[in-house]
Amino acid sequence: MKAIRRFTVRPVLPAELGALDELAANLRWSWHQPTIDLFRDVDPVLWELDADPVGLLGEVTPARLAELAADTGFVDRANALRDDLRAYLAEPRWYQSLGAEVPRSIAYFSPEFGIAAALPQYSGGLGILAGDHLKSASDLGVPIIGVGLFYRAGYFRQSISREGWQEESYPVVDPDGLPMRVLRDPDGSAVCVVLALPEGRALTARIWRLDVGRVPLLLLDTDIPENAEELRGVTDRLYGGGGEHRLLQELLLGIGGTRAVKAFAALEGRDEPDVFHSNEGHAGFLGLERAADLIGEGLTFDQAIRVVRAGTVFTTHTPVPAGIDRFEAPLVERYFSTDLLPGVDVADVLALGVEPEVAEKTFNMAVMGLRLAQRANGVSKLHGEVSRSMFNALWPGFDADDVPIGSVTNGVHAPTWTDAEVTALAAAKLATSDTTTADWTSSAVTDADLWALKRRMRGHLVTDARSRMSAAWADENPGIADPTWFRDLLDPDVLTIGFARRVPTYKRLTLMLHDPERLRALLTHPERPIQLVIAGKSHPADDEGKRLIQRLVEFTQGADVRQRIVFLPNYDIGMAKRLYPGCDIWLNNPLRPLEACGTSGMKAALNGALNLSILDGWWNEYYDDSNGWAIPSADSAGDGAERDALEAASLYDLLEHQIAPRFYERGEDGIPVKWVADMRHTLATLSPELSADRMVRQYVENLYLPAAAAERAITASSFQPARDLAAWTARVQAAWPSVHVAHVESGGVDATPQLGEQLHVRAYVELGDLAPDDVKVELVHGHARDGDELAGIRRLRLDLEAHDLGSPATFQGTVTLDRSGSFGYTVRVVPNHPLLATPAELGLLATA
């Protein structure tokens, strides 16, 4: 019999255990191992069920609480950890050493946050990345406020039917059973944000607050009595529902989230954010809400957009156009033809989402995000290149290299994803519990230490996999004992390969099955067997992805391979924390270049696993021939089938001829010396680079600090610079059709130019109604390739020589020929203003 309602009754702890409440209320416990150990010691069995302090304290017996309250050693330990947490929250950290010209506050918006298994508000990499961003920001002292939605059913729970088909269920999350609380006014009433909707309706959301270390995370929730029934379900599920439902979620995230931040800052007496960071396009409407506020202060829409852009950072995680949220333009028009944003004209809104060179009337969230942010980035170097090409049409005439989208390669939060045994080894042998700065090259850690560590973690994975499979069997076959062969599922001494991620088709879950007989031979090799531990969820609407899972599950059920390959259902944070450390190899074989970053392999590397991957995402820039293997990409293949065949063959060859032999090549002491050397190299070189601390520092230094400086500059003197920039921009845009390079002269080199000679260039530029200071004239030069395309480009700004009334302006400059080979050059003209971040910002260009 099922309950019609469920809720959590929180216990009243003995006074001696008051520290436990304080420790449970802050999500720092999710990555602070001493606190985790404390809660585990309350009741190890209950802890292993959920790894959730609030749930644990609600389930533990009064007798056990009394016993702990009488244990002075436990009480002293809890009080010491509470005092440590208080010091962590208050003490200056890295960010506080940067000086006065830093952002006072930064708002970080994301549709999902993966912080702990107990808080299922994530679907995959985007959410885990957002959670890691908050955790490292906390550790570094960066004053971020996280903003998202509270999904009552989170993302789905996955099970696999007897036919191998993915099935979804949506357990309801009880917020009272989580370390979160409703944001309240001093009179005790819940703080709410309200959005005006068509037909005179209104969407109201309350605000939950969670503390992620030093970082407050605000989650908006529409499941409240103030809403009509259909609107209470706006925050029902992560990525649930279709067009209008998704639009409502994104309006709430962007517009409602910005209002929530403002209310929170006022309530807490905090500074409002100087910088707003949109993690993907889902939160893009935040810029329009900010513009509406500025219009209320007397600015025009164009002036307000200049202010918004200056302080906004946009991160794209999407390597393919199909992955971008798009809405039908009439639907967007309907929602903004209301009082939703006073002072903002619906035509201005629609213009922000128009895709260049696309005839359909759609509204593109990523395009709006880029138009509302002066600074944008991809999440790996390769993804930055892909993004510059993908969005090139927004800056017509500019080469892809000029597109103002940089890159900050993702990182992962080391204290969260590094196994406690790795941390313990570093503490015992290298005198630090920070595995990202530990000297893994030191002889203090022996090969035997590393090999024994990996063997233990592999054993933990095997135990966990068997337990999960038994639990899944019991759910699917109640009352029937699980098969006896489950007891021998996997082997802690066999080369273990992990593969876990979302299951869209481009990630190619079943590439390993391209030649089933060859895979079978690798799994059952008599001297050098391998075993595969696989997990992943397909989107509920993606039947093709579900068919891939089904095909894989069917293969795993073969009697000859079922102990060597397993698909674990319901991939989540809890599973991942066993899977990454327990693997020797992490496999990744997407279609290049469709993987934006791929952080799962990073987490494995932090635990000494080697990567086996297509050179895509982060692996493209970090692979060095000693930290794993690169699967060659068959980019020139005739079609997808041929490409799959070639890349699968390469995968099998690497496993058979390089990876398995190296793993099983042992010395007299039973240690694979070359393999352990690669483990050591991986830990030493990748641990600092793959850390989210490195990532967050880069965001601060390369994006947040410049954005804050730009915001200060454009808002000075009661926004006068914004007014001036908007007027200047309008004048330049109106005059630009008349701007062109009339003529270019050159001289100073012989008929056969030689190194060291100087090329003198003079360009005659028609400026129309513009002044010379309104433009920058550049000599663009480099190696001339086929079709006269320039490579290895350099730019030299040309100096104004003369500008006589009625004549073209003359600009001149000199370049020294310091590179041999083919040489080519051209002249370009771009707008010039000190408040522009890049020459391409306005999308205006004139070339010779």
Side-chain angles (χ1 to χ4, degrees):
M1 188 174 294
K2 293 184 178 180
I4 62 170
R5 185 184 171 211
R6 57 179 290 182
F7 53 87
T8 300
V9 179
R10 297 202 180 191
V12 178
L13 296 178
E16 295 86 349
L17 299 180
L20 293 182
D21 263 339
E22 193 169 333
L23 290 167
N26 191 303
L27 282 160
R28 188 209 185 197
W29 61 255
S30 67
W31 72 89
H32 189 245
Q33 193 60 47
T35 306
I36 292 172
D37 293 340
L38 178 79
F39 281 115
R40 179 182 286 112
D41 289 347
V42 170
D43 189 314
V45 175
L46 287 176
W47 178 260
E48 290 304 320
L49 290 176
D50 293 307
D52 167 20
V54 176
L56 171 77
L57 296 177
E59 294 291 334
V60 70
T61 65
R64 176 58 177 160
L65 291 176
E67 180 184 348
L68 291 170
D71 183 343
T72 56
F74 183 89
V75 171
D76 290 346
R77 188 171 149 214
N79 289 339
L81 286 170
R82 178 202 58 203
D83 295 344
D84 177 75
L85 173 63
R86 290 175 178 176
Y88 170 87
L89 297 176
E91 66 191 11
R93 303 186 78 81
W94 170 79
Y95 188 84
Q96 285 67 43
S97 71
L98 298 182
E101 300 300 310
V102 295
R104 296 163 298 174
S105 177
I106 301 149
Y108 181 88
F109 287 68
S110 179
E112 49 177 303
F113 287 91
I115 297 168
L119 192 70
Q121 303 289 300
Y122 62 94
S123 71
L126 180 70
I128 299 297
L129 180 279
D132 284 4
H133 195 108
L134 298 194
K135 292 173 184 178
S136 277
S138 174
D139 289 344
L140 295 170
V142 182
I144 277 181
I145 301 170
V147 186
L149 303 180
F150 177 67
Y151 305 98
R152 197 46 76 95
Y155 203 51
F156 69 90
R157 180 176 178 82
Q158 179 197 52
S159 60
I160 303 298
S161 73
R162 294 182 185 181
E163 293 74 33
W165 192 252
Q166 171 181 294
E167 296 178 334
E168 302 93 21
S169 60
Y170 294 87
V172 173
V173 178
D174 176 18
D176 292 326
L178 297 170
M180 52 198 291
R181 59 192 185 277
V182 172
L183 197 65
R184 297 188 182 277
D185 281 320
D187 64 4
S189 60
V191 177
C192 290
V193 296
V194 182
L195 275 64
L197 301 182
E199 293 87 46
R201 298 177 300 153
L203 177 65
T204 303
R206 64 180 167 186
I207 305 162
W208 293 97
R209 173 182 176 169
L210 298 91
D211 290 308
V212 185
R214 299 164 68 110
V215 172
L217 172 58
L218 309 178
L219 300 180
L220 278 67
D221 176 13
T222 62
D223 188 15
I224 54 177
E226 288 85 344
N227 288 319
E229 187 62 33
E230 70 274 11
L231 293 179
R232 292 184 68 160
V234 166
T235 54
D236 55 354
R237 299 174 182 175
L238 175 60
Y239 303 141
E244 188 165 6
H245 187 84
R246 178 75 69 88
L247 177 61
L248 279 164
Q249 287 188 340
E250 299 191 1
L251 290 169
L252 180 62
L253 176 60
I255 297 173
T258 303
R259 294 174 184 176
V261 169
K262 190 172 182 178
F264 172 72
L267 191 63
E268 295 275 314
R270 293 175 178 240
D271 292 312
E272 289 191 25
D274 308 298
V275 176
F276 287 75
H277 184 176
S278 179
N279 189 38
E280 253 309 337
H282 309 282
F285 291 121
L286 70 88
L288 292 174
E289 167 65 14
R290 295 177 59 213
D293 275 351
L294 292 163
I295 290 169
E297 295 185 42
L299 300 187
T300 66
F301 181 78
D302 287 341
Q303 293 165 353
I305 290 302
R306 298 297 147 195
V307 177
V308 168
R309 281 177 50 78
T312 301
V313 173
F314 175 71
T315 298
T316 173
H317 295 256
T318 308
V320 287
I324 297 170
D325 271 355
R326 292 175 174 84
F327 299 105
E328 295 179 359
L331 178 64
V332 176
E333 183 177 15
R334 175 169 161 254
Y335 272 85
F336 282 92
S337 299
T338 61
D339 294 327
L340 178 61
L341 293 179
V344 177
D345 189 88
V346 67
D348 290 327
V349 175
L350 294 174
L352 289 168
V354 171
E355 293 184 65
E357 305 173 355
V358 174
E360 295 86 358
K361 292 188 68 177
T362 59
F363 188 92
N364 185 306
M365 294 296 290
V367 165
M368 178 181 67
L370 289 165
R371 286 181 171 141
L372 288 175
Q374 197 172 42
R375 288 162 182 82
N377 68 284
V379 291
S380 68
K381 289 181 180 178
L382 179 59
H383 181 235
E385 295 175 17
V386 170
S387 299
R388 287 189 286 276
S389 296
M390 190 166 79
F391 294 108
N392 202 165
L394 287 173
W395 293 272
F398 285 90
D399 292 337
D401 287 346
D402 290 315
V403 169
I405 301 175
S407 66
V408 176
T409 301
N410 284 344
V412 297
H413 185 245
T416 294
W417 297 110
T418 305
D419 191 88
E421 294 208 32
V422 179
T423 304
L425 179 63
K429 297 296 184 74
L430 302 175
T432 178
S433 58
D434 182 354
T435 59
T436 67
T437 59
D439 180 10
W440 291 105
T441 64
S442 170
S443 59
V445 173
T446 66
D447 286 358
D449 291 332
L450 288 173
W451 187 237
L453 169 70
K454 179 54 73 172
R455 206 284 181 182
R456 290 194 302 275
M457 295 192 298
R458 201 184 305 118
H460 296 325
L461 170 58
V462 169
T463 300
D464 188 64
R466 292 173 181 172
S467 174
R468 289 177 184 276
M469 289 299 288
S470 291
W473 174 272
D475 287 343
E476 190 69 31
N477 305 276
I480 302 176
D482 53 3
T484 56
W485 64 266
F486 274 19
R487 299 168 202 159
D488 299 317
L489 177 67
L490 305 177
D491 184 329
D493 292 310
V494 167
L495 170 60
T496 302
I497 300 170
F499 183 102
R501 52 194 33 86
R502 289 185 304 110
V503 189
T505 53
Y506 78 87
K507 291 183 183 282
R508 297 192 296 184
L509 171 71
T510 56
L511 185 69
M512 64 184 75
L513 297 182
H514 193 273
D515 184 342
E517 293 311 310
R518 193 161 182 195
L519 177 59
R520 185 174 280 107
L522 288 166
L523 292 167
T524 60
H525 193 284
E527 288 92 32
R528 297 192 300 271
I530 69 169
Q531 58 191 11
L532 280 156
V533 185
I534 306 162
K537 293 180 176 180
S538 179
H539 188 281
D542 182 5
D543 282 350
E544 185 58 36
K546 292 181 184 180
R547 276 190 281 273
L548 296 179
I549 292 174
Q550 184 179 46
R551 184 181 167 210
L552 182 71
V553 169
E554 288 173 350
F555 180 84
T556 67
Q557 292 171 348
D560 56 340
V561 298
R562 64 191 182 189
Q563 290 173 312
R564 288 282 182 266
I565 181 170
V566 61
F567 183 89
L568 300 179
N570 203 43
Y571 180 41
D572 64 3
I573 287 176
M575 181 193 297
K577 287 192 171 186
R578 285 299 188 199
L579 183 52
Y580 299 132
C583 290
D584 302 291
I585 290 287
W586 194 260
L587 175 62
N588 189 31
N589 46 232
L591 279 170
R592 188 180 193 270
L594 303 185
E595 181 87 280
C597 185
T599 55
S600 58
M602 294 180 167
K603 301 176 186 102
L606 292 186
N607 290 282
L610 309 182
N611 274 266
L612 170 61
S613 177
I614 294 286
L615 284 171
D616 202 3
W618 75 275
W619 189 236
N620 186 67
E621 65 195 81
Y622 281 113
Y623 168 64
D624 69 1
D625 203 35
S626 295
N627 50 21
W629 290 264
I631 303 170
S633 297
D635 298 340
S636 58
D639 57 23
E642 182 184 1
R643 181 172 182 171
D644 285 353
L646 291 170
E647 294 181 1
S650 296
L651 169 60
Y652 298 137
D653 285 343
L654 286 168
L655 287 169
E656 181 178 358
H657 301 300
Q658 295 189 38
I659 296 172
R662 177 168 295 197
F663 181 85
Y664 287 106
E665 181 185 339
R666 309 292 170 89
E668 292 182 0
D669 55 4
I671 296 173
V673 177
K674 292 181 181 178
W675 189 278
V676 173
D678 289 345
M679 284 177 57
R680 187 187 298 274
H681 174 79
T682 291
L683 288 167
T685 60
L686 291 183
S687 293
E689 288 296 312
L690 303 184
S691 165
D693 284 4
R694 183 271 309 155
M695 174 189 73
V696 171
R697 284 190 182 101
Q698 282 188 276
Y699 272 108
V700 169
E701 294 166 351
N702 300 343
L703 294 167
Y704 297 162
L705 288 175
E711 197 269 348
R712 284 194 301 272
I714 206 164
T715 58
S717 304
S718 302
F719 301 105
Q720 190 57 45
R723 296 184 175 90
D724 294 342
L725 179 59
W728 178 86
T729 299
R731 180 169 61 84
V732 169
Q733 289 171 330
W736 202 258
S738 300
V739 175
H740 65 276
V741 180
H743 179 58
V744 178
E745 296 176 349
S746 63
V749 296
D750 291 337
T752 305
Q754 296 184 356
L755 280 174
E757 292 188 6
Q758 292 187 322
L759 176 69
H760 304 293
V761 176
R762 179 175 288 110
Y764 299 86
V765 181
E766 293 284 1
L767 295 176
D769 293 332
L770 299 183
D773 286 347
D774 292 326
V775 301
K776 181 191 294 184
V777 181
E778 295 178 319
L779 177 70
V780 183
H781 60 94
H783 288 299
R785 302 301 191 195
D786 293 341
D788 294 328
E789 289 292 325
L790 294 178
I793 285 176
R794 299 177 183 175
R795 298 182 184 89
L796 173 71
R797 183 169 183 176
L798 302 181
D799 297 322
L800 178 67
E801 185 177 59
H803 187 207
D804 298 327
L805 187 64
S807 300
T810 308
F811 295 83
Q812 62 81 31
T814 299
V815 62
T816 300
L817 304 181
D818 60 359
R819 293 185 289 181
S820 59
S822 62
F823 181 87
Y825 70 89
T826 188
V827 171
R828 77 173 190 179
V829 185
V830 293
N832 179 55
H833 191 282
L835 293 179
L836 298 182
T838 71
E841 185 163 329
L842 299 184
L844 301 175
L845 175 71
T847 58

